[in-house]
Amino acid sequence: MSSSAPGTPLQRPVLAGNWKMHKGPAAAREFFGDFCERFSPRPDRTVIFFPPAVSLEACARALAERPDIALGVQNIFWEKEGAFTGEIAAAMAVDAGATYTLVGHSERRHVFGEADEDVGRKAAAALAAGLLPVICVGETLEERQAGRVAEVILRQLDTALAALDPTVRPGILVAYEPVWAIGTGVNATPADAAAAHGLLRQRLEHHAGPAAPHVPILYGGSVKPANAAALLAAADVDGLLVGGASLRPDDFARIAAVSPIPHS
Ligand code: PGA
């Protein structure tokens, strides 16, 4: 979509669905058959889906008449090509129809052992290939209970941004996804989200300078149609990254249509 070209501020809010390891090509086609009937193009927002990579081309075809809906991949590897069995390069994702990629999702960090430095390398490789990285950060419950939210999420952000040339830092998105809220049904309160997003925004000002307000910061973790508007109304929440509820066309159509909230 034209609003997502690198260097162009995205339309807010940004409503993104992360399908994780759900929906092969046939299920993806079926989803969009239903979703596109429920959700009409809206110029006042950015809508993105992150299907499994094997479904990307089927999604791109299913959305041929819907340039308002963008696609991304859930992960990339930082090398351009080579003997890296099972991995996907950023340029391949672009070729298959992706405009965005998640990097450092909590499941990549916690299930697959990705380090903060790996996330930076992936973000840099994405930008070099013209793919917009969504840098995901978030603390575990243990870290929250120990009062370490700021330390953890700012370390994750700082390490990722350190891998990027200062001139390209504004071309990213950030997602705050507290690990304890992902897939648990327990979302962060709007106040918790605002506090974390405020810290991230401040740090972005340090790293990205005057362009920092253009970096969208998405909240993710148990977003549902019932809590989407309240979370989006929180200060510095520019969008939502939705897992489970993005698998159901009716639920995600409601979330994607949530009322625009003026950016604070
Ligand atoms: P959830 O997942 O909405 O199912 O909690 C969010 C995410 O992991 O991106």
Side-chain angles (χ1 to χ4, degrees):
M1 57 196 289
S2 57
S3 64
S4 57
T8 309
L10 302 179
Q11 289 300 324
R12 288 191 174 94
V14 177
L15 292 318
N18 171 16
W19 284 355
K20 310 192 180 188
M21 200 171 76
H22 296 280
K23 298 193 194 294
R29 277 190 291 273
E30 191 184 331
F31 175 94
F32 284 119
D34 190 341
F35 180 78
C36 291
E37 283 188 10
R38 295 172 187 268
F39 180 76
S40 302
R42 297 268 307 247
D44 61 344
R45 59 202 52 219
T46 301
V47 176
I48 313 166
F49 284 91
F50 293 90
V54 290
S55 300
L56 198 60
E57 195 164 353
C59 293
R61 283 177 198 272
L63 294 171
E65 307 297 316
R66 291 296 301 266
D68 60 303
I69 300 174
L71 292 169
V73 287
Q74 299 170 11
N75 182 38
I76 53 161
F77 188 48
W78 55 78
E79 294 289 352
K80 289 197 175 105
E81 64 179 2
F84 304 106
T85 301
E87 296 295 327
I88 295 169
M92 295 174 186
V94 172
D95 190 16
T99 306
Y100 298 86
T101 183
L102 301 180
V103 291
H105 186 277
S106 93
E107 287 143 25
R108 297 300 317 172
R109 293 176 188 266
H110 296 286
V111 183
F112 298 99
E114 266 182 28
D116 295 341
E117 289 75 14
D118 299 337
V119 178
R121 284 188 197 109
K122 291 181 179 197
L127 286 165
L131 203 54
L132 296 172
V134 182
I135 297 173
C136 303
V137 301
E139 82 287 357
T140 63
L141 184 58
E142 202 181 31
E143 289 162 341
R144 171 163 284 260
Q145 286 170 341
R148 297 179 52 214
V149 176
E151 174 209 322
V152 170
I153 65 176
L154 296 180
R155 185 202 73 224
Q156 292 172 338
L157 183 68
D158 286 349
T159 310
L161 291 180
L164 307 183
D165 187 299
T167 59
V168 299
R169 286 177 187 165
I172 61 162
L173 297 83
V174 173
Y176 170 62
E177 297 202 299
V179 180
W180 48 271
I182 295 179
T184 59
V186 182
N187 59 284
T189 63
D192 287 339
H197 285 226
L199 290 168
L200 294 167
R201 179 78 65 207
Q202 231 177 15
R203 200 59 142 236
L204 283 165
E205 274 157 19
H206 171 74
H207 286 292
H214 298 298
V215 174
I217 308 177
L218 282 49
Y219 167 79
S222 295
V223 174
K224 303 280 180 267
N227 60 22
L231 285 161
L232 203 51
D236 283 310
V237 175
D238 305 308
L240 302 170
L241 180 54
V242 185
S246 73
L247 297 172
R248 296 181 290 277
D250 51 344
D251 280 354
F252 197 68
R254 286 166 67 197
I255 293 170
V258 82
S259 292
I261 307 292
H263 186 237
S264 61

